[in-house]
Every structure is written in structure tokens, then in C-alpha cells.
């Protein structure tokens, strides 16, 4: 019983993010100061001294060149044994690809076979990708957001200069150009997203184009103007809503025993805009997530806030 | 050898991968290191795209109403390249954010300098 208890105590402290020290008070009262020990003898063992490292750097360079050359030679040997480029009988063109191509339109309703593949047969893969993008933007937000602990006088000065520059009419070519181009770029991005199941493109490419349009607008009109309609809250809300919609669209079949409750999502006529089941809404979700992510990266890397 | 000349896309992608790897190992500048990482990613996309191509076939989008596996190239590598691009963008953004924080703290992008400063900080 006592073992059990200690396990739960350990688990609790692990979840709370503490170090796993059960009798913490006792430990603190009896422990030795660590920094003293480091100063005396541990430093020499922990890191090799700088002179030794410098002597090793030549060896490191020679070794890394050698390893890379060995790698290239071995891989070129593998390439020699690969199936011929463009060979129809190659082993990569197996029954999986044939199934996607022959039954794809019947089963997904998408004219673009790749869209049908990534958003229907392999939709969970794409869900993971969208989550990776969202997590990347959240991680960059954590690292680069200008908050209490991430400020410096030099940067504040630069930011103030940028704001003065944004207020002036000094970038008239960029501003006039962006006035014409940004709506067209964003409109084209929306077109690419909406036609993802009909033509080349889809959520990822269209989302990047929308993000590029947002970046153009932000670069021309200043960060302040962008913040009137796009802040961290907007980004979080749009991304989370899109990811949850995606999750709901694709996980309903789990809850209904994977038999779709005897109701197939209407596929429509292949070739229509409103066709191919869930692929259009999923493309829109992915496109919004990607657009927010792209603009978020730009804003965080330039200004430190969205 | 003739195999290598026929498979020149794959051969080029392998060499490109090696160049990127060498960059990753030998560059001292952290941003150049991540450029090397991106070159490696690009080599992978080239390899995948080359493996999906078949002579005389067209892009996998329904054309003229023909539904036949003999008419289109392999769509699977396209999906894999998409995954690769997304992950590469995320990893690059994350690592560049880390590099930016390092630069703000140490005032240099040179990895040896940063390591030296870390050692000095620990020594004191």
C-alpha cells in the first residue's frame, strides 16, 4: 500500500511539473550546494577545454566530409539499383495508386485525385499536418512574443522608428501597389482553396497565397492597421475552430461504428463546385489554418506580436 | 553507370542531400545551418517527385473523362511531398525562432562563440 501511495505522490508531482522528490523538506535541509561543486572539480569533466576543442575541429571537419562523401557514394549505389526513372512497371506504381486512380472519383467525388487522396483516404494525415502548423505557430508565439521577459531598449527604439515610418507617406509605391494587388492576391487564394477538388491547388497552396496577401497588406499599411481586424485572438479562434471542424467532420464515423449510420455524404456531380462530400469544407478549414499560420510567422518574426 | 544517367533525378537529389548535410555539419552560422537543413528537405521532394513520374502520363487530375490507372502518374508521392513541405516549414520557423532568441541573448549567430560564452557563464 505504501508503494502505491508513493507512486501516486510521484505521479502527482510529475503532473504538477515538480521534480520527483517525495520528502522535499528533508532533502532541501540536507542537500549540498551544487554550484560550489561545479566550481571546484566538475567543470573539467563536463566539458572539454577550449584548446582541446580547437584541436579537434580539424578532425571534425575531415570526419564530416568523409561521412558525407561515404553517404553520397552509398546512396548513389542504391540509386543504381532503383527502378528506372519513368518506368510504368516500376514497383512504386502498385495497386494502391491504381485503386486511388480508378475508384477515386466514385468513392470521393473529387476530380483532383491528389485532393481526393489527401482529404478523404488519408484525411488523418492531413489533420496531423494542420495540427503541426498550428503547434509551430503557437511555439513561435511562445518564443518570440514581446512580453515582460522579452524586451530590450534597442528593439523598442527600432519599433518606434518603424511606427513613425509607417505613419508617413514615404512608401507610396508599395501602398498604391498593395491597394491594387492585395485584394487580387487574396481573391486568387480563395479561388485556389475553393477549387481544390477540381483543379491543382487546395488548402495548403491556397492558404499560403492568402497568407502572402495578408503579408503584403501588412507590409504596406503598417502593423497597427492590420491589428484592427487580425490579432492573436482572431488567429487562435479561427485556427481552433477550423481544427475542431476538421476533427468533427472526420471523426463522426468512429462514433457511429464506422458505418456512416447508413447515410453517405452526398457526393454530388463530380466537377461541380459543391460536390465530393467533405473535401470542400475540409479544404476551407486547412486553408484558413495555413493563412493564419503564414501571417502569424511573418508578424511574429518582424514585430514580435500578431 | 548508365543506370545513374537514366536515374539522374534521383542521383541529383542524393547529391543535393549530401550538400545540405555537409552544410548542416560544417557551417558555423546558425542560419546557414538551417539553410542546409532546407536543402536536404528539397532533395527529398525532388526524389519523391521523380519516383512518382511515369513517361507519357499526365498529372492526376481527371482529363477528358478518362478513368484509367494507365493514363495518370502516381498521385501518392504528391501527397507525401505535401506532408514534407508542411513539416519543413514548421520546423524551419520553430528553429529560426530559437535562433532569434539565442541571438538576442548572446548577440552572435556563430555557434562556437555561443558555446564559448555558455562555458564562461557556467564557469563563473
Amino acid at each position: 500500500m505504501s508503494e502505491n501511495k508513493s507512486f501516486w505522490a510521484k505521479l502527482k508531482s510529475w503532473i504538477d511539473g515538480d521534480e520527483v522528490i517525495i520528502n522535499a523538506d528533508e532533502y532541501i535541509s540536507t542537500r549540498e550546494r551544487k554550484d560550489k561543486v561545479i566550481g571546484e572539480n566538475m567543470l573539467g569533466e563536463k566539458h572539454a577545454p577550449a584548446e582541446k576543442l580547437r584541436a579537434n575541429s580539424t578532425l571534425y571537419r575531415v570526419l564530416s566530409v568523409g561521412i558525407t562523401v561515404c553517404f553520397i557514394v552509398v546512396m548513389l549505389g542504391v540509386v543504381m539499383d532503383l527502378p528506372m526513372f519513368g518506368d510504368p512497371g516500376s514497383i512504386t506504381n502498385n495497386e494502391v495508386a491504381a485503386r486511388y486512380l480508378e475508384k477515386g472519383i466514385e468513392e470521393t467525388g473529387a476530380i483532383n485525385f491528389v485532393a481526393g487522396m489527401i482529404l478523404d483516404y488519408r484525411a488523418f494525415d492531413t489533420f496531423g499536418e494542420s495540427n503541426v502548423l498550428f503547434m509551430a505557430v503557437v511555439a513561435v508565439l511562445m518564443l518570440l512574443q514581446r512580453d515582460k521577459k522579452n524586451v530590450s531598449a534597442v528593439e523598442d527604439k527600432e519599433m518606434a522608428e518603424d511606427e513613425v515610418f509607417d505613419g508617413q507617406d514615404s512608401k507610396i509605391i508599395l501602398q498604391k501597389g498593395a491597394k491594387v494587388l492585395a485584394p487580387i492576391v487574396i481573391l486568387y487564394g480563395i479561388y485556389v482553396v475553393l477549387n481544390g477538388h477540381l483543379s491543382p491547388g487546395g488548402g495548403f497552396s491556397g492558404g499560403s497565397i492568402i497568407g502572402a496577401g495578408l503579408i503584403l497588406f501588412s507590409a504596406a499599411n503598417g502593423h497597427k492597421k492590420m491589428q484592427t481586424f487580425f490579432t492573436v485572438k482572431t488567429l487562435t479562434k479561427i485556427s481552433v475552430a477550423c481544427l475542431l471542424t476538421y476533427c468533427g467532420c472526420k471523426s463522426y464515423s468512429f462514433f457511429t461504428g464506422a458505418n456512416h449510420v447508413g447515410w453517405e455524404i452526398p457526393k454530388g456531380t463530380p466537377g461541380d463546385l459543391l460536390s465530393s462530400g467533405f473535401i470542400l469544407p475540409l479544404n476551407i478549414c486547412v486553408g484558413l489554418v495555413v493563412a493564419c499560420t503564414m501571417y502569424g510567422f511573418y508578424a511574429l518574426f518582424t514585430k514580435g506580436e500578431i | 553507370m548508365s543506370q545513374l544517367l537514366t536515374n539522374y533525378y534521383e542521383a541529383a537529389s542524393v547529391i543535393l542531400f549530401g550538400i545540405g548535410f555537409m552544410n548542416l555539419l560544417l557551417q558555423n552560422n546558425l542560419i546557414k545551418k538551417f539553410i542546409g537543413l532546407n536543402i536536404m528537405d528539397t532533395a527529398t521532394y525532388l526524389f519523391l517527385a521523380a519516383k512518382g513520374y511515369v513517361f507519357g502520363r499526365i498529372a492526376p487530375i481527371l482529363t477528358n473523362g478518362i478513368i484509367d490507372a494507365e493514363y495518370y502518374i502516381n498521385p501518392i508521392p504528391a501527397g507525401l511531398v505535401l506532408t514534407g513541405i508542411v513539416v519543413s516549414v514548421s520546423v524551419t520557423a520553430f528553429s529560426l525562432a530559437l535562433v532569434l532568441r539565442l541571438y538576442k541573448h548572446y548577440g552572435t549567430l556563430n555557434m562556437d562563440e555561443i558555446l564559448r560564452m555558455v562555458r564562461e557563464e557556467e564557469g563563473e
Side-chain angles (χ1 to χ4, degrees), chain A residues 47 53 60 64 68 71 75 79-80 84-86 92-93 97 102 105 111 113 118 129 132 143 155 200 301, chain B residues 3 7 9 14 17-18 25-26 50 53-55 57 60-62 67 69 74 82-83 90 93 101 104 119 122:
Chain A
H47 300 294
L53 269 184
Y60 171 74
S64 49
T68 316
F71 173 80
M75 290 312 276
V79 166
M80 282 218 261
M84 286 297 184
F85 173 70
T92 48
N93 300 321
E102 276 164 2
I105 291 198
I111 284 192
F113 292 107
I118 63 167
E129 286 167 38
V132 165
L143 284 168
E155 275 178 29
F301 274 105
Chain B
Q3 289 260 10
N7 283 348
Y9 278 106
V14 166
F17 192 92
L25 287 176
L26 290 183
Y53 184 71
V54 180
F55 280 127
R57 300 195 189 172
I61 292 169
L62 187 74
I67 299 179
N74 192 346
L82 190 71
T83 313
S90 310
R101 285 304 292 262
K104 273 181 194 170
R119 209 159 285 140
E122 277 185 2

Side-chain angles (χ1 to χ4, degrees), chain A residues 29-95:
Chain A
S29 62
T30 56
R31 73 172 169 184
E32 286 175 33
R33 298 281 296 175
K34 251 185 185 166
D35 44 353
K36 250 186 204 169
V37 183
I38 287 175
E40 276 165 15
N41 54 15
M42 269 177 77
L43 184 71
E45 293 166 22
K46 213 172 169 188
H47 300 294
E51 296 81 48
K52 210 176 174 186
L53 269 184
R54 222 161 282 138
N56 279 344
S57 78
T58 329
L59 181 67
Y60 171 74
R61 276 163 198 280
V62 171
L63 266 184
S64 49
V65 171
I67 288 171
T68 316
V69 168
C70 281
F71 173 80
I72 290 180
V73 169
V74 168
M75 290 312 276
L76 281 179
V78 173
V79 166
M80 282 218 261
D81 281 344
L82 279 178
M84 286 297 184
F85 173 70
D87 179 15
S90 156
I91 198 155
T92 48
N93 300 321
N94 53 10
E95 65 277 0

Side-chain angles (χ1 to χ4, degrees), chain A residues 203-238:
Chain A
F204 288 103
S205 28
S208 318
I209 297 171
I210 297 177
L214 290 176
I215 291 173
L216 178 63
F217 183 87
S218 171
N221 295 319
H223 196 236
K224 281 269 166 338
K225 225 169 210 174
M226 196 72 195
Q227 270 179 333
T228 52
F229 65 93
F230 197 95
T231 57
V232 180
K233 271 189 182 169
T234 335
L235 180 135
T236 321
K237 274 179 193 160
I238 291 178

Side-chain angles (χ1 to χ4, degrees), chain A residues 11-30:
Chain A
L11 186 71
K12 189 178 171 294
S13 56
W14 180 69
I15 287 171
D16 291 345
D18 306 332
E19 274 185 65
V20 187
I21 298 169
I22 305 301
N23 301 321
D25 295 330
E26 197 184 317
Y27 172 75
I28 288 170
S29 62
T30 56

Side-chain angles (χ1 to χ4, degrees), chain B residues 19-45:
Chain B
I19 292 172
F21 192 56
M22 193 97 90
N23 240 352
L24 193 65
L25 287 176
L26 290 183
Q27 289 288 354
N28 248 334
N29 188 317
L30 283 169
I31 290 192
K32 287 181 186 169
K33 257 189 205 298
F34 290 114
I35 291 174
L37 192 72
N38 271 295
I39 293 173
M40 284 162 75
D41 290 334
T42 318
T44 319
Y45 312 150

Side-chain angles (χ1 to χ4, degrees), chain A residues 118-194:
Chain A
I118 63 167
L119 287 169
D120 198 302
Y121 292 113
R122 299 183 171 206
F124 278 102
D125 181 26
T126 315
F127 183 51
E129 286 167 38
S130 322
N131 276 317
V132 165
L133 270 179
F134 181 60
M135 267 189 269
V137 80
V138 170
V140 173
L141 187 71
M142 282 197 297
L143 284 168
L144 293 185
Q145 196 174 31
R146 295 165 60 80
D147 49 19
K148 263 181 269 168
K149 289 188 177 172
N150 182 19
V151 285
S152 72
V154 183
E155 275 178 29
D156 285 343
K157 206 180 146 203
E158 281 174 3
M159 297 277 288
E161 277 173 8
D162 278 358
E163 262 166 41
V164 171
F165 189 63
D166 282 342
Q168 291 169 348
D169 273 346
S170 52
K171 28 182 192 176
I172 190 151
I173 296 176
L174 181 59
Q175 275 174 349
K176 295 283 176 196
K179 208 173 188 178
V180 180
L181 270 181
I184 298 175
V185 170
I186 293 175
L187 199 65
Y188 178 62
I190 293 171
Y191 163 80
V192 171
V193 170
L194 291 184

